[in-house]
Amino acid sequence: MWETASEAEAAAATSPLQEGSALKITAGQYEFRATFEENSSAEEFRDLLAQGPVTIVMEDYGGFEKVGPLGTELSRNDMQITTQPGDVILYQGDQITLYYGTNSWTFTRLARIDNPSGLREKLGDGTVEVTFSLESLQ
């Protein structure tokens, strides 16, 4: 049974797909699974993806990331961090970045790729189309 009414309401408001879901990232022939961060920005991104997959044209920037426009704005939970390969970052509220290197700045982390080995090579050089979607963990 639920401990409080607010917990029951929160559970009812979360769809089963969203609750038991991971972030699926597809770039060319490669698929990656990522674990969502626990912040309101990641929740908004998950809600956006619950409406359907989002494809973003991403380009190299700075020799450590791929970046592209999300096409909408999410709330920001920026904090000073040093990114690691596999970080999925919200930049300035409307850009998505996939890090294959490191960078220190004020960002909002949305997710982290579970196994980022070879990420740089798998994303390739130049422009790449990356599709973000939800994957059920059940």
Side-chain angles (χ1 to χ4, degrees), residues 4-76:
T4 66
S6 62
E7 285 179 316
E9 290 167 7
T14 304
S15 79
L17 175 62
Q18 290 174 284
E19 185 176 273
S21 62
L23 176 59
K24 180 178 164 184
I25 303 167
T26 306
Q29 64 183 356
Y30 298 102
E31 289 185 356
F32 307 95
R33 177 185 281 177
T35 302
F36 283 103
E37 286 293 305
E38 292 187 23
N39 62 47
S40 61
S41 304
E43 289 175 27
E44 288 177 27
F45 190 45
R46 185 182 291 152
D47 290 345
L48 176 67
L49 298 178
Q51 299 172 33
V54 173
T55 300
I56 301 174
V57 176
M58 305 183 85
E59 298 182 17
D60 290 300
Y61 180 80
F64 47 78
E65 69 180 333
K66 294 278 190 189
V67 63
L70 179 57
T72 191
E73 194 162 322
L74 303 177
S75 65
R76 295 163 63 170

Side-chain angles (χ1 to χ4, degrees), residues 44-108:
E44 288 177 27
F45 190 45
R46 185 182 291 152
D47 290 345
L48 176 67
L49 298 178
Q51 299 172 33
V54 173
T55 300
I56 301 174
V57 176
M58 305 183 85
E59 298 182 17
D60 290 300
Y61 180 80
F64 47 78
E65 69 180 333
K66 294 278 190 189
V67 63
L70 179 57
T72 191
E73 194 162 322
L74 303 177
S75 65
R76 295 163 63 170
N77 287 280
D78 290 345
M79 58 180 21
Q80 181 69 34
I81 61 173
T82 298
T83 62
Q84 299 298 316
D87 279 345
V88 180
I89 300 290
L90 176 66
Y91 177 64
Q92 295 190 348
D94 62 357
Q95 303 282 313
I96 299 292
T97 57
L98 289 176
Y99 276 84
Y100 50 80
T102 61
N103 185 28
S104 293
W105 199 258
T106 304
F107 298 121
T108 299

